[in-house]
Amino acid sequence: MLYPLFVLTLLSSLAFGADDVISKSEGMLRAGKVEDAKQLIARFLTSQESAGAYEKVGSLYARLKDWPNSVHYFEIASKRNPRSAKIFYELGLAQHQNKQIEDAVANLRQSLIISSTTAKTYLALGEILELSRDRYDARNIYLSALAKTGESSAIRSKLCLLNFQDNFFSETIKQCTRAVKLNGADTNSWALLGQAYYLSQQRPEAFDVFRKVLKTYPKTALIYRVRGLVYFEEKAYEQAINDLGRAFGLDPADDEAAINLARSYFQLGYFDRALPLFVEACKIDRDYRFEFLAKQRELLRKDHDDLAGKYQEALDKF
């Protein structure tokens, strides 16, 4: 087979380093010179025939987000070196990106069998299990991570969320408390801690958490929103308006703050103030349009014809 001159030059100097060959191949692929790159990669692999060489090519395709090819070369690398935890980790990540979820989970588990003290592998496996909605297994993986790799704010934060999602509020309080002790800036865990206390009928503790975190981080939209939603559930609409208004002011993309702020005004009879907030909520998420329509019909039943007309005009724009 005849090769272009620049490829022959590279092939004649493979000895000057695998990384240089990989870099040149990547440049060709990014420039659209696919066939030239493939020829160079094939010659490189023929000259190397090692797990490390196949791993480098798999990583190359991963950087290009060419996941089928990345998986292909990592699979070959894993067969050539079945004791490399790193290769199985990289293979699992590529398979996840390639929508091969079961294979990804299996290979990340294999990576942990080979080396059980690699925190990033536990995190990757746990997150894939979370996305697969296997929260039970994800929790066990994160608990294993703590046992094998030591204390971690990221892992505690994960356990905080998973336990909250399954309504294990006592365990949520335990894990969230540890998470915020390790990382005081973890406002997500602070928010879940406050919610878990409240849902466990420990209202004073919940509001103490909200007060404490807002004193330290006064511009945290999430905490204002969470406390505002608590006030809304308690029908303390004036207080809900205060907190939800701050939340929405700090984060104009927060649809929960917007819609509940609108609901609070509406409950208090401030229909005109609720209108622009229903509009903003619908701009963020059009699904709120159905509730907006219901409010317009409610105004008609209450004989607020002028306001009902304004609501209808706003609805017509969606």
Side-chain angles (χ1 to χ4, degrees):
M1 181 182 291
L2 295 176
Y3 294 94
L5 179 60
F6 73 95
V7 175
L8 286 171
T9 301
L10 284 169
L11 294 178
S12 66
S13 59
L14 280 174
F16 75 177
D19 290 341
D20 296 296
V21 175
I22 293 297
S23 178
K24 291 291 184 182
S25 301
E26 184 173 344
M28 292 178 189
L29 288 167
R30 291 187 184 280
K33 300 175 182 178
V34 177
E35 290 306 316
D36 290 340
K38 285 182 177 179
Q39 291 175 16
L40 182 55
I41 289 168
R43 187 58 178 263
F44 165 69
L45 292 172
T46 300
S47 71
Q48 298 290 312
E49 283 294 321
S50 68
Y54 282 96
E55 182 185 0
K56 286 180 181 294
V57 176
S59 296
L60 181 162
Y61 280 111
R63 289 193 295 276
L64 296 172
K65 302 187 187 304
D66 182 343
W67 303 114
N69 269 320
S70 182
V71 168
H72 172 70
Y73 288 105
F74 281 136
E75 283 179 337
I76 296 173
S78 71
K79 290 173 183 175
R80 289 176 179 269
N81 184 2
R83 298 302 303 163
S84 172
K86 181 172 179 286
I87 289 174
F88 279 102
Y89 167 76
E90 293 171 325
L91 173 58
L93 294 186
Q95 287 172 326
H96 178 246
Q97 293 290 343
N98 203 40
K99 312 300 182 186
Q100 298 170 250
I101 306 303
E102 290 185 6
D103 290 336
V105 169
N107 282 303
L108 288 170
R109 289 190 194 278
Q110 182 61 28
S111 178
L112 289 172
I113 289 171
I114 297 167
S115 175
S116 63
T117 58
T118 309
K120 67 179 182 180
T121 307
Y122 285 105
L123 271 171
L125 177 55
E127 287 174 353
I128 290 173
L129 291 168
E130 284 186 67
L131 290 170
S132 302
R133 300 185 184 280
D134 189 349
R135 293 198 291 267
Y136 175 81
D137 205 355
R139 276 199 305 275
N140 286 335
I141 288 296
Y142 292 138
L143 288 170
S144 295
L146 292 173
K148 293 290 186 178
T149 66
E151 197 58 272
S152 163
S153 60
I155 295 293
R156 291 293 182 188
S157 183
K158 291 284 188 183
L159 287 167
C160 168
L161 174 60
L162 286 171
N163 282 289
F164 182 83
Q165 289 174 328
D166 284 334
N167 298 324
F168 300 150
F169 298 129
S170 177
E171 188 65 18
T172 300
I173 291 169
K174 172 184 171 182
Q175 297 297 341
C176 292
T177 298
R178 292 186 179 181
V180 297
K181 282 183 179 178
L182 291 166
N183 178 14
D186 182 0
T187 52
N188 287 330
S189 292
W190 278 114
L192 293 171
L193 178 59
Q195 287 177 284
Y197 272 127
Y198 185 78
L199 294 169
S200 299
Q201 311 302 316
Q202 299 180 68
R203 191 181 188 279
E205 290 84 352
F207 278 85
D208 185 57
V209 167
F210 298 143
R211 179 194 57 76
K212 185 183 297 183
V213 68
L214 285 172
K215 184 177 180 180
T216 307
Y217 302 102
K219 294 186 178 180
T220 307
L222 174 61
I223 303 298
Y224 282 116
R225 187 235 289 169
V226 169
R227 191 172 67 178
L229 291 175
V230 168
Y231 282 132
F232 181 83
E233 290 299 318
E234 294 182 341
K235 303 186 187 307
Y237 298 120
E238 293 89 348
Q239 290 159 301
I241 285 170
N242 185 49
D243 276 351
L244 293 170
R246 290 187 181 186
F248 190 51
L250 289 165
D251 182 4
D254 187 341
D255 62 299
E256 273 197 273
I259 193 64
N260 284 287
L261 183 56
R263 291 165 179 164
S264 297
Y265 275 122
F266 200 92
Q267 288 292 335
L268 289 173
Y270 298 133
F271 307 126
D272 53 340
R273 296 185 187 181
L275 173 56
L277 291 162
F278 277 120
V279 170
E280 290 301 316
C282 288
K283 285 180 181 177
I284 301 168
D285 186 343
R286 286 179 59 86
D287 286 347
Y288 290 124
R289 185 181 184 279
F290 300 104
E291 180 177 348
F292 195 4
L293 178 60
K295 297 301 184 188
Q296 186 267 344
R297 290 174 177 172
E298 185 176 337
L299 288 171
L300 283 174
R301 291 194 298 272
K302 292 177 182 291
D303 294 325
H304 294 296
D305 294 345
D306 289 345
L307 276 170
K310 292 179 180 179
Y311 271 58
Q312 186 61 57
E313 287 177 16
L315 276 164
D316 290 341
K317 296 177 182 178
F318 290 99

